[in-house]
Amino acid sequence: MEVKNLEKINDDKQRQPSMAARARKARHCELAARAAMAVAFVWTFVVQLMHLWRTPRPLREYQSNGYLMVSSNGGLNQMRSGICDMVAIARYMNATLVVPQLDNTSFWHDQSQFKDIFDVDHFINSLRDEVKIVKELPPHMQRNVNMGRYVSMPPSSWSDISYYTDKILPGELKKHRILHFQKTDSRLANNGPLEVQKLRCKVNYNALKFTAPIEKMGKKIVKILRKRGKFLVLHLRYEKDMLAFSGCNEGCTHEETTELQELRYSIPWWKKKEINSTSARLAGLCPLTPEETALTLKALGVDRKTQIYIAAGDIYGGERRLKTLRAAYPNLVKKETLLPPSDLLPFKNYSSRMAALDYIVSLESDIFFPTYGGNMARVIEGHRRYYSQFFEEETNSFENGRFEAAMVLFKSSPFLSLIQVFFVSGILKGFD
């Protein structure tokens, strides 16, 4: 009996390694099957995405009422917003839009054309389901333009879409077939129909894609910053043109104040000439000075070691005005300090292309901090909000509220208690 028991025990011991091996093999097969399923799922997803990417949007068929030519005015972000308006106007007038001309006569004297800043083919194709867009007029229409057979006019500011569909369409456009708008800034009301607003967002955050060289260089700057850690983008709107236009000269020397005033008087389309700087500041119409910016960052608890990227042109007053800010936050950088001169050579003498690089870095930043609620502050806020909504829909929730930091918009005044700070959940990716 004991012999039989011993034999049974030995048989059980022999079976145990065999059973364990089979269990391991089954586990490996299960893992392999899961991995294969995951790869198949990812590949299917990628193929579907490629198909959607390659499939053009359905073409919107309509009888065109004529051609709309537009001359954008202002800096990059002002022109960007104006182009959004012009696309919406062309869409609702059933016009054919000619690729907009950019402003080459403004303060910056940037000679860049639309194709130098934005991907023209993407612009046309991404909006083909809304409006017909052509790169240039057909030859017979161009001859009419050369002979002066067209209407050129500045559209009314802050107009409702009905102004264009009820007045401009049956009048100037249908009569002459070619209509030229001399300005694009603020030519459409912000409180129009929802469908119009959706189209403007579609243009701004989808159709107006930067060219490949701009995108590549912008991403390179972001990569350099990311290697160093998290970063805050400071849109320090304290350049010469801003101060001259607004009449704000707090902290400027007598010579600088005189220079700013002379510049304001020399530009005819800047209508307001006599401006009291103190009154403008009390009314909240001035950007934060670099000194006020340092004080505000401290008040908001921004760590002294924070990496701060200045998204701006040349700061008026140079290092003299940056001294206080640099003392409070020594880790100040700009694209000019991050990249070798050779990298910036294709962009350096073109203000809009340089601004486009700052735009890309601002979108990718952990915190975006504008010192003035101007065109760039508003467009970047909207773009980041658009991104946040997209990722929220994709993931259904943010990671433990990690991205519940806020967009900060400021109106300058002599006292911090008068600075308006607005926190909008889900716009910024705050520091841990």
Side-chain angles (χ1 to χ4, degrees), residues 351-394:
S351 61
S352 291
R353 301 180 204 185
M354 294 286 272
L357 297 178
D358 286 340
Y359 190 103
I360 294 171
V361 179
S362 298
L363 282 184
E364 297 283 348
S365 65
D366 295 289
I367 294 178
F368 174 64
F369 186 106
T371 60
Y372 183 75
N375 292 301
M376 182 169 179
R378 290 192 291 266
V379 175
I380 291 291
E381 178 192 2
H383 210 151
R384 291 172 71 98
R385 192 185 296 234
Y386 172 85
Y387 274 167
S388 294
Q389 181 65 26
F390 172 78
F391 286 117
E392 188 171 16
E393 289 174 355
E394 290 294 310

mmCIF file of all heavy atoms in Angstrom, residues 351-394:
data_model
loop_
_atom_site.group_PDB
_atom_site.id
_atom_site.type_symbol
_atom_site.label_atom_id
_atom_site.label_comp_id
_atom_site.label_asym_id
_atom_site.label_seq_id
_atom_site.Cartn_x
_atom_site.Cartn_y
_atom_site.Cartn_z
ATOM 1 N N SER A 351 8.325 89.924 -40.501
ATOM 2 C CA SER A 351 7.688 89.962 -39.182
ATOM 3 C C SER A 351 6.569 88.939 -39.052
ATOM 4 O O SER A 351 6.382 88.342 -37.983
ATOM 5 C CB SER A 351 7.139 91.366 -38.907
ATOM 6 O OG SER A 351 6.149 91.719 -39.867
ATOM 7 N N SER A 352 5.810 88.713 -40.122
ATOM 8 C CA SER A 352 4.701 87.758 -40.046
ATOM 9 C C SER A 352 5.204 86.327 -39.877
ATOM 10 O O SER A 352 4.602 85.525 -39.156
ATOM 11 C CB SER A 352 3.822 87.857 -41.294
ATOM 12 O OG SER A 352 3.117 89.079 -41.319
ATOM 13 N N ARG A 353 6.311 85.997 -40.518
ATOM 14 C CA ARG A 353 6.861 84.652 -40.377
ATOM 15 C C ARG A 353 7.442 84.452 -38.974
ATOM 16 O O ARG A 353 7.310 83.370 -38.383
ATOM 17 C CB ARG A 353 7.943 84.401 -41.440
ATOM 18 C CG ARG A 353 7.427 84.541 -42.858
ATOM 19 C CD ARG A 353 8.504 84.279 -43.901
ATOM 20 N NE ARG A 353 8.192 84.949 -45.163
ATOM 21 C CZ ARG A 353 8.899 84.828 -46.264
ATOM 22 N NH1 ARG A 353 9.969 84.048 -46.293
ATOM 23 N NH2 ARG A 353 8.560 85.495 -47.356
ATOM 24 N N MET A 354 8.066 85.490 -38.440
ATOM 25 C CA MET A 354 8.573 85.415 -37.067
ATOM 26 C C MET A 354 7.411 85.291 -36.080
ATOM 27 O O MET A 354 7.474 84.522 -35.106
ATOM 28 C CB MET A 354 9.406 86.654 -36.749
ATOM 29 C CG MET A 354 10.688 86.771 -37.566
ATOM 30 S SD MET A 354 11.980 85.613 -37.049
ATOM 31 C CE MET A 354 12.778 86.594 -35.765
ATOM 32 N N ALA A 355 6.328 86.035 -36.338
ATOM 33 C CA ALA A 355 5.144 85.947 -35.479
ATOM 34 C C ALA A 355 4.507 84.567 -35.565
ATOM 35 O O ALA A 355 3.956 84.065 -34.575
ATOM 36 C CB ALA A 355 4.139 87.026 -35.874
ATOM 37 N N ALA A 356 4.576 83.942 -36.746
ATOM 38 C CA ALA A 356 4.026 82.593 -36.904
ATOM 39 C C ALA A 356 4.776 81.585 -36.035
ATOM 40 O O ALA A 356 4.178 80.666 -35.470
ATOM 41 C CB ALA A 356 4.087 82.182 -38.374
ATOM 42 N N LEU A 357 6.102 81.743 -35.926
ATOM 43 C CA LEU A 357 6.882 80.862 -35.047
ATOM 44 C C LEU A 357 6.427 81.020 -33.600
ATOM 45 O O LEU A 357 6.249 80.028 -32.882
ATOM 46 C CB LEU A 357 8.375 81.185 -35.170
ATOM 47 C CG LEU A 357 9.029 80.957 -36.538
ATOM 48 C CD1 LEU A 357 10.497 81.366 -36.490
ATOM 49 C CD2 LEU A 357 8.900 79.506 -36.983
ATOM 50 N N ASP A 358 6.231 82.273 -33.163
ATOM 51 C CA ASP A 358 5.754 82.514 -31.801
ATOM 52 C C ASP A 358 4.360 81.932 -31.591
ATOM 53 O O ASP A 358 4.024 81.467 -30.496
ATOM 54 C CB ASP A 358 5.733 84.018 -31.506
ATOM 55 C CG ASP A 358 7.125 84.588 -31.284
ATOM 56 O OD1 ASP A 358 8.052 83.800 -30.992
ATOM 57 O OD2 ASP A 358 7.290 85.814 -31.406
ATOM 58 N N TYR A 359 3.549 81.969 -32.639
ATOM 59 C CA TYR A 359 2.190 81.419 -32.563
ATOM 60 C C TYR A 359 2.240 79.916 -32.255
ATOM 61 O O TYR A 359 1.520 79.423 -31.374
ATOM 62 C CB TYR A 359 1.475 81.665 -33.892
ATOM 63 C CG TYR A 359 -0.009 81.364 -33.881
ATOM 64 C CD1 TYR A 359 -0.940 82.393 -33.804
ATOM 65 C CD2 TYR A 359 -0.484 80.058 -33.973
ATOM 66 C CE1 TYR A 359 -2.306 82.131 -33.813
ATOM 67 C CE2 TYR A 359 -1.844 79.790 -33.976
ATOM 68 C CZ TYR A 359 -2.749 80.827 -33.904
ATOM 69 O OH TYR A 359 -4.104 80.548 -33.899
ATOM 70 N N ILE A 360 3.102 79.202 -32.963
ATOM 71 C CA ILE A 360 3.220 77.752 -32.761
ATOM 72 C C ILE A 360 3.697 77.443 -31.348
ATOM 73 O O ILE A 360 3.158 76.559 -30.667
ATOM 74 C CB ILE A 360 4.184 77.151 -33.800
ATOM 75 C CG1 ILE A 360 3.586 77.273 -35.204
ATOM 76 C CG2 ILE A 360 4.502 75.695 -33.481
ATOM 77 C CD1 ILE A 360 4.540 76.903 -36.327
ATOM 78 N N VAL A 361 4.705 78.174 -30.881
ATOM 79 C CA VAL A 361 5.235 77.945 -29.530
ATOM 80 C C VAL A 361 4.168 78.268 -28.483
ATOM 81 O O VAL A 361 4.028 77.561 -27.485
ATOM 82 C CB VAL A 361 6.501 78.788 -29.295
ATOM 83 C CG1 VAL A 361 7.041 78.557 -27.885
ATOM 84 C CG2 VAL A 361 7.577 78.443 -30.320
ATOM 85 N N SER A 362 3.384 79.311 -28.714
ATOM 86 C CA SER A 362 2.324 79.692 -27.778
ATOM 87 C C SER A 362 1.273 78.598 -27.657
ATOM 88 O O SER A 362 0.779 78.313 -26.561
ATOM 89 C CB SER A 362 1.666 81.001 -28.229
ATOM 90 O OG SER A 362 2.591 82.068 -28.232
ATOM 91 N N LEU A 363 0.917 77.987 -28.774
ATOM 92 C CA LEU A 363 -0.063 76.899 -28.746
ATOM 93 C C LEU A 363 0.439 75.714 -27.924
ATOM 94 O O LEU A 363 -0.337 75.049 -27.235
ATOM 95 C CB LEU A 363 -0.374 76.424 -30.166
ATOM 96 C CG LEU A 363 -1.318 77.264 -31.022
ATOM 97 C CD1 LEU A 363 -1.564 76.561 -32.352
ATOM 98 C CD2 LEU A 363 -2.635 77.504 -30.311
ATOM 99 N N GLU A 364 1.733 75.442 -27.996
ATOM 100 C CA GLU A 364 2.301 74.254 -27.361
ATOM 101 C C GLU A 364 2.727 74.494 -25.916
ATOM 102 O O GLU A 364 3.121 73.550 -25.220
ATOM 103 C CB GLU A 364 3.529 73.787 -28.164
ATOM 104 C CG GLU A 364 3.224 73.364 -29.590
ATOM 105 C CD GLU A 364 2.588 71.993 -29.669
ATOM 106 O OE1 GLU A 364 2.584 71.282 -28.646
ATOM 107 O OE2 GLU A 364 2.076 71.645 -30.741
ATOM 108 N N SER A 365 2.644 75.715 -25.437
ATOM 109 C CA SER A 365 3.175 76.044 -24.111
ATOM 110 C C SER A 365 2.331 75.445 -22.991
ATOM 111 O O SER A 365 1.157 75.123 -23.169
ATOM 112 C CB SER A 365 3.249 77.563 -23.936
ATOM 113 O OG SER A 365 1.945 78.125 -23.956
ATOM 114 N N ASP A 366 2.941 75.335 -21.810
ATOM 115 C CA ASP A 366 2.205 74.873 -20.635
ATOM 116 C C ASP A 366 1.291 75.975 -20.110
ATOM 117 O O ASP A 366 0.194 75.703 -19.634
ATOM 118 C CB ASP A 366 3.191 74.436 -19.542
ATOM 119 C CG ASP A 366 3.998 73.229 -19.968
ATOM 120 O OD1 ASP A 366 3.415 72.134 -20.039
ATOM 121 O OD2 ASP A 366 5.190 73.384 -20.273
ATOM 122 N N ILE A 367 1.747 77.200 -20.203
ATOM 123 C CA ILE A 367 0.938 78.357 -19.831
ATOM 124 C C ILE A 367 1.173 79.459 -20.845
ATOM 125 O O ILE A 367 2.311 79.726 -21.238
ATOM 126 C CB ILE A 367 1.281 78.879 -18.408
ATOM 127 C CG1 ILE A 367 0.898 77.844 -17.350
ATOM 128 C CG2 ILE A 367 0.572 80.190 -18.123
ATOM 129 C CD1 ILE A 367 1.240 78.255 -15.936
ATOM 130 N N PHE A 368 0.091 80.091 -21.284
ATOM 131 C CA PHE A 368 0.189 81.237 -22.189
ATOM 132 C C PHE A 368 -0.260 82.474 -21.419
ATOM 133 O O PHE A 368 -1.354 82.526 -20.888
ATOM 134 C CB PHE A 368 -0.679 81.028 -23.425
ATOM 135 C CG PHE A 368 -0.747 82.230 -24.337
ATOM 136 C CD1 PHE A 368 0.389 82.691 -24.984
ATOM 137 C CD2 PHE A 368 -1.942 82.888 -24.541
ATOM 138 C CE1 PHE A 368 0.331 83.788 -25.821
ATOM 139 C CE2 PHE A 368 -2.018 83.996 -25.366
ATOM 140 C CZ PHE A 368 -0.875 84.450 -26.013
ATOM 141 N N PHE A 369 0.608 83.477 -21.377
ATOM 142 C CA PHE A 369 0.387 84.662 -20.544
ATOM 143 C C PHE A 369 0.518 85.921 -21.404
ATOM 144 O O PHE A 369 1.622 86.369 -21.695
ATOM 145 C CB PHE A 369 1.433 84.669 -19.420
ATOM 146 C CG PHE A 369 1.267 85.748 -18.394
ATOM 147 C CD1 PHE A 369 0.788 85.473 -17.118
ATOM 148 C CD2 PHE A 369 1.618 87.068 -18.676
ATOM 149 C CE1 PHE A 369 0.655 86.469 -16.170
ATOM 150 C CE2 PHE A 369 1.488 88.065 -17.739
ATOM 151 C CZ PHE A 369 1.003 87.775 -16.480
ATOM 152 N N PRO A 370 -0.605 86.488 -21.884
ATOM 153 C CA PRO A 370 -0.528 87.730 -22.653
ATOM 154 C C PRO A 370 -0.605 88.941 -21.732
ATOM 155 O O PRO A 370 -1.319 88.928 -20.728
ATOM 156 C CB PRO A 370 -1.762 87.658 -23.554
ATOM 157 C CG PRO A 370 -2.747 86.860 -22.760
ATOM 158 C CD PRO A 370 -1.955 85.926 -21.875
ATOM 159 N N THR A 371 0.110 89.986 -22.085
ATOM 160 C CA THR A 371 0.079 91.205 -21.268
ATOM 161 C C THR A 371 -0.863 92.251 -21.849
ATOM 162 O O THR A 371 -0.916 93.373 -21.351
ATOM 163 C CB THR A 371 1.496 91.813 -21.163
ATOM 164 O OG1 THR A 371 1.962 92.135 -22.485
ATOM 165 C CG2 THR A 371 2.446 90.832 -20.513
ATOM 166 N N TYR A 372 -1.577 91.875 -22.906
ATOM 167 C CA TYR A 372 -2.537 92.784 -23.526
ATOM 168 C C TYR A 372 -3.569 91.947 -24.263
ATOM 169 O O TYR A 372 -3.220 90.981 -24.942
ATOM 170 C CB TYR A 372 -1.825 93.734 -24.502
ATOM 171 C CG TYR A 372 -2.737 94.765 -25.140
ATOM 172 C CD1 TYR A 372 -3.193 95.858 -24.410
ATOM 173 C CD2 TYR A 372 -3.140 94.645 -26.467
ATOM 174 C CE1 TYR A 372 -4.028 96.803 -24.985
ATOM 175 C CE2 TYR A 372 -3.966 95.590 -27.053
ATOM 176 C CZ TYR A 372 -4.411 96.670 -26.305
ATOM 177 O OH TYR A 372 -5.240 97.610 -26.878
ATOM 178 N N GLY A 373 -4.834 92.304 -24.117
ATOM 179 C CA GLY A 373 -5.896 91.525 -24.749
ATOM 180 C C GLY A 373 -6.103 91.894 -26.203
ATOM 181 O O GLY A 373 -7.201 92.284 -26.606
ATOM 182 N N GLY A 374 -5.070 91.754 -27.013
ATOM 183 C CA GLY A 374 -5.147 92.115 -28.424
ATOM 184 C C GLY A 374 -5.449 90.928 -29.312
ATOM 185 O O GLY A 374 -5.976 89.907 -28.868
ATOM 186 N N ASN A 375 -5.087 91.060 -30.597
ATOM 187 C CA ASN A 375 -5.430 90.037 -31.580
ATOM 188 C C ASN A 375 -4.812 88.683 -31.256
ATOM 189 O O ASN A 375 -5.479 87.655 -31.297
ATOM 190 C CB ASN A 375 -4.982 90.489 -32.977
ATOM 191 C CG ASN A 375 -5.776 91.673 -33.486
ATOM 192 O OD1 ASN A 375 -6.990 91.610 -33.610
ATOM 193 N ND2 ASN A 375 -5.102 92.775 -33.777
ATOM 194 N N MET A 376 -3.506 88.660 -30.934
ATOM 195 C CA MET A 376 -2.858 87.379 -30.671
ATOM 196 C C MET A 376 -3.426 86.719 -29.426
ATOM 197 O O MET A 376 -3.662 85.505 -29.413
ATOM 198 C CB MET A 376 -1.352 87.548 -30.521
ATOM 199 C CG MET A 376 -0.635 86.216 -30.303
ATOM 200 S SD MET A 376 1.159 86.353 -30.447
ATOM 201 C CE MET A 376 1.661 84.664 -30.120
ATOM 202 N N ALA A 377 -3.665 87.503 -28.375
ATOM 203 C CA ALA A 377 -4.214 86.939 -27.138
ATOM 204 C C ALA A 377 -5.552 86.256 -27.401
ATOM 205 O O ALA A 377 -5.804 85.144 -26.928
ATOM 206 C CB ALA A 377 -4.369 88.041 -26.090
ATOM 207 N N ARG A 378 -6.401 86.901 -28.188
ATOM 208 C CA ARG A 378 -7.729 86.342 -28.443
ATOM 209 C C ARG A 378 -7.664 85.115 -29.351
ATOM 210 O O ARG A 378 -8.365 84.121 -29.112
ATOM 211 C CB ARG A 378 -8.621 87.418 -29.064
ATOM 212 C CG ARG A 378 -8.998 88.530 -28.106
ATOM 213 C CD ARG A 378 -10.114 89.397 -28.671
ATOM 214 N NE ARG A 378 -9.669 90.183 -29.807
ATOM 215 C CZ ARG A 378 -9.215 91.425 -29.717
ATOM 216 N NH1 ARG A 378 -9.113 92.004 -28.531
ATOM 217 N NH2 ARG A 378 -8.850 92.093 -30.800
ATOM 218 N N VAL A 379 -6.826 85.186 -30.401
ATOM 219 C CA VAL A 379 -6.749 84.060 -31.334
ATOM 220 C C VAL A 379 -6.124 82.840 -30.661
ATOM 221 O O VAL A 379 -6.607 81.714 -30.833
ATOM 222 C CB VAL A 379 -5.951 84.459 -32.600
ATOM 223 C CG1 VAL A 379 -5.758 83.257 -33.510
ATOM 224 C CG2 VAL A 379 -6.683 85.563 -33.361
ATOM 225 N N ILE A 380 -5.065 83.049 -29.889
ATOM 226 C CA ILE A 380 -4.424 81.928 -29.196
ATOM 227 C C ILE A 380 -5.370 81.331 -28.161
ATOM 228 O O ILE A 380 -5.465 80.108 -28.011
ATOM 229 C CB ILE A 380 -3.110 82.375 -28.520
ATOM 230 C CG1 ILE A 380 -2.043 82.703 -29.578
ATOM 231 C CG2 ILE A 380 -2.593 81.308 -27.566
ATOM 232 C CD1 ILE A 380 -1.530 81.507 -30.335
ATOM 233 N N GLU A 381 -6.085 82.180 -27.441
ATOM 234 C CA GLU A 381 -7.053 81.667 -26.454
ATOM 235 C C GLU A 381 -8.062 80.764 -27.140
ATOM 236 O O GLU A 381 -8.370 79.657 -26.668
ATOM 237 C CB GLU A 381 -7.784 82.812 -25.760
ATOM 238 C CG GLU A 381 -8.835 82.304 -24.774
ATOM 239 C CD GLU A 381 -9.781 83.392 -24.282
ATOM 240 O OE1 GLU A 381 -9.642 84.547 -24.730
ATOM 241 O OE2 GLU A 381 -10.647 83.073 -23.463
ATOM 242 N N GLY A 382 -8.605 81.236 -28.272
ATOM 243 C CA GLY A 382 -9.583 80.431 -28.986
ATOM 244 C C GLY A 382 -8.994 79.136 -29.513
ATOM 245 O O GLY A 382 -9.631 78.079 -29.450
ATOM 246 N N HIS A 383 -7.767 79.197 -30.022
ATOM 247 C CA HIS A 383 -7.126 78.004 -30.584
ATOM 248 C C HIS A 383 -6.849 76.968 -29.496
ATOM 249 O O HIS A 383 -7.057 75.767 -29.691
ATOM 250 C CB HIS A 383 -5.830 78.401 -31.290
ATOM 251 C CG HIS A 383 -5.487 77.511 -32.435
ATOM 252 N ND1 HIS A 383 -4.779 77.935 -33.534
ATOM 253 C CD2 HIS A 383 -5.756 76.200 -32.663
ATOM 254 C CE1 HIS A 383 -4.626 76.923 -34.383
ATOM 255 N NE2 HIS A 383 -5.198 75.858 -33.867
ATOM 256 N N ARG A 384 -6.379 77.425 -28.354
ATOM 257 C CA ARG A 384 -6.121 76.497 -27.236
ATOM 258 C C ARG A 384 -7.430 75.924 -26.698
ATOM 259 O O ARG A 384 -7.498 74.759 -26.310
ATOM 260 C CB ARG A 384 -5.335 77.205 -26.137
ATOM 261 C CG ARG A 384 -3.903 77.531 -26.529
ATOM 262 C CD ARG A 384 -3.219 78.392 -25.501
ATOM 263 N NE ARG A 384 -2.926 77.681 -24.269
ATOM 264 C CZ ARG A 384 -1.744 77.152 -23.963
ATOM 265 N NH1 ARG A 384 -0.743 77.260 -24.812
ATOM 266 N NH2 ARG A 384 -1.555 76.529 -22.823
ATOM 267 N N ARG A 385 -8.467 76.740 -26.698
ATOM 268 C CA ARG A 385 -9.779 76.247 -26.267
ATOM 269 C C ARG A 385 -10.277 75.179 -27.246
ATOM 270 O O ARG A 385 -10.846 74.167 -26.849
ATOM 271 C CB ARG A 385 -10.753 77.423 -26.211
ATOM 272 C CG ARG A 385 -12.069 77.120 -25.507
ATOM 273 C CD ARG A 385 -12.998 78.319 -25.636
ATOM 274 N NE ARG A 385 -12.439 79.462 -24.951
ATOM 275 C CZ ARG A 385 -13.075 80.165 -24.019
ATOM 276 N NH1 ARG A 385 -14.292 79.799 -23.666
ATOM 277 N NH2 ARG A 385 -12.530 81.212 -23.456
ATOM 278 N N TYR A 386 -10.031 75.414 -28.538
ATOM 279 C CA TYR A 386 -10.409 74.458 -29.577
ATOM 280 C C TYR A 386 -9.663 73.141 -29.373
ATOM 281 O O TYR A 386 -10.246 72.056 -29.447
ATOM 282 C CB TYR A 386 -10.082 75.059 -30.940
ATOM 283 C CG TYR A 386 -10.243 74.131 -32.118
ATOM 284 C CD1 TYR A 386 -11.482 73.960 -32.726
ATOM 285 C CD2 TYR A 386 -9.148 73.443 -32.642
ATOM 286 C CE1 TYR A 386 -11.626 73.120 -33.820
ATOM 287 C CE2 TYR A 386 -9.279 72.607 -33.728
ATOM 288 C CZ TYR A 386 -10.523 72.451 -34.317
ATOM 289 O OH TYR A 386 -10.658 71.616 -35.394
ATOM 290 N N TYR A 387 -8.354 73.222 -29.113
ATOM 291 C CA TYR A 387 -7.566 72.020 -28.847
ATOM 292 C C TYR A 387 -8.072 71.285 -27.618
ATOM 293 O O TYR A 387 -8.194 70.062 -27.605
ATOM 294 C CB TYR A 387 -6.097 72.397 -28.650
ATOM 295 C CG TYR A 387 -5.296 72.490 -29.917
ATOM 296 C CD1 TYR A 387 -4.034 73.079 -29.921
ATOM 297 C CD2 TYR A 387 -5.774 71.992 -31.123
ATOM 298 C CE1 TYR A 387 -3.279 73.182 -31.082
ATOM 299 C CE2 TYR A 387 -5.039 72.083 -32.279
ATOM 300 C CZ TYR A 387 -3.790 72.683 -32.263
ATOM 301 O OH TYR A 387 -3.055 72.765 -33.409
ATOM 302 N N SER A 388 -8.365 72.036 -26.562
ATOM 303 C CA SER A 388 -8.837 71.421 -25.324
ATOM 304 C C SER A 388 -10.141 70.668 -25.550
ATOM 305 O O SER A 388 -10.331 69.560 -25.055
ATOM 306 C CB SER A 388 -9.047 72.483 -24.242
ATOM 307 O OG SER A 388 -7.822 73.065 -23.874
ATOM 308 N N GLN A 389 -11.055 71.276 -26.316
ATOM 309 C CA GLN A 389 -12.323 70.627 -26.616
ATOM 310 C C GLN A 389 -12.102 69.359 -27.415
ATOM 311 O O GLN A 389 -12.725 68.326 -27.170
ATOM 312 C CB GLN A 389 -13.232 71.590 -27.382
ATOM 313 C CG GLN A 389 -14.604 71.020 -27.728
ATOM 314 C CD GLN A 389 -15.427 70.730 -26.498
ATOM 315 O OE1 GLN A 389 -15.224 71.349 -25.454
ATOM 316 N NE2 GLN A 389 -16.334 69.778 -26.596
ATOM 317 N N PHE A 390 -11.155 69.415 -28.368
ATOM 318 C CA PHE A 390 -10.858 68.245 -29.198
ATOM 319 C C PHE A 390 -10.353 67.091 -28.347
ATOM 320 O O PHE A 390 -10.828 65.965 -28.442
ATOM 321 C CB PHE A 390 -9.820 68.610 -30.261
ATOM 322 C CG PHE A 390 -9.308 67.428 -31.045
ATOM 323 C CD1 PHE A 390 -10.066 66.871 -32.053
ATOM 324 C CD2 PHE A 390 -8.074 66.871 -30.751
ATOM 325 C CE1 PHE A 390 -9.594 65.780 -32.769
ATOM 326 C CE2 PHE A 390 -7.602 65.787 -31.457
ATOM 327 C CZ PHE A 390 -8.369 65.242 -32.471
ATOM 328 N N PHE A 391 -9.379 67.385 -27.467
ATOM 329 C CA PHE A 391 -8.812 66.317 -26.642
ATOM 330 C C PHE A 391 -9.817 65.824 -25.610
ATOM 331 O O PHE A 391 -9.825 64.661 -25.244
ATOM 332 C CB PHE A 391 -7.535 66.805 -25.956
ATOM 333 C CG PHE A 391 -6.367 66.904 -26.889
ATOM 334 C CD1 PHE A 391 -5.764 68.122 -27.150
ATOM 335 C CD2 PHE A 391 -5.883 65.782 -27.525
ATOM 336 C CE1 PHE A 391 -4.691 68.209 -28.021
ATOM 337 C CE2 PHE A 391 -4.807 65.852 -28.395
ATOM 338 C CZ PHE A 391 -4.217 67.078 -28.647
ATOM 339 N N GLU A 392 -10.696 66.710 -25.159
ATOM 340 C CA GLU A 392 -11.710 66.296 -24.192
ATOM 341 C C GLU A 392 -12.676 65.319 -24.842
ATOM 342 O O GLU A 392 -13.097 64.334 -24.232
ATOM 343 C CB GLU A 392 -12.458 67.514 -23.670
ATOM 344 C CG GLU A 392 -13.398 67.193 -22.523
ATOM 345 C CD GLU A 392 -13.963 68.435 -21.883
ATOM 346 O OE1 GLU A 392 -13.877 69.518 -22.487
ATOM 347 O OE2 GLU A 392 -14.504 68.321 -20.770
ATOM 348 N N GLU A 393 -13.026 65.589 -26.112
ATOM 349 C CA GLU A 393 -13.916 64.674 -26.814
ATOM 350 C C GLU A 393 -13.224 63.344 -27.088
ATOM 351 O O GLU A 393 -13.862 62.295 -27.076
ATOM 352 C CB GLU A 393 -14.349 65.316 -28.140
ATOM 353 C CG GLU A 393 -15.301 66.489 -27.949
ATOM 354 C CD GLU A 393 -15.614 67.196 -29.246
ATOM 355 O OE1 GLU A 393 -15.011 66.814 -30.265
ATOM 356 O OE2 GLU A 393 -16.445 68.117 -29.228
ATOM 357 N N GLU A 394 -11.897 63.387 -27.330
ATOM 358 C CA GLU A 394 -11.172 62.159 -27.635
ATOM 359 C C GLU A 394 -10.986 61.292 -26.394
ATOM 360 O O GLU A 394 -11.110 60.080 -26.447
ATOM 361 C CB GLU A 394 -9.803 62.496 -28.233
ATOM 362 C CG GLU A 394 -9.878 63.079 -29.633
ATOM 363 C CD GLU A 394 -10.400 62.073 -30.634
ATOM 364 O OE1 GLU A 394 -9.884 60.943 -30.655
ATOM 365 O OE2 GLU A 394 -11.335 62.415 -31.373
#
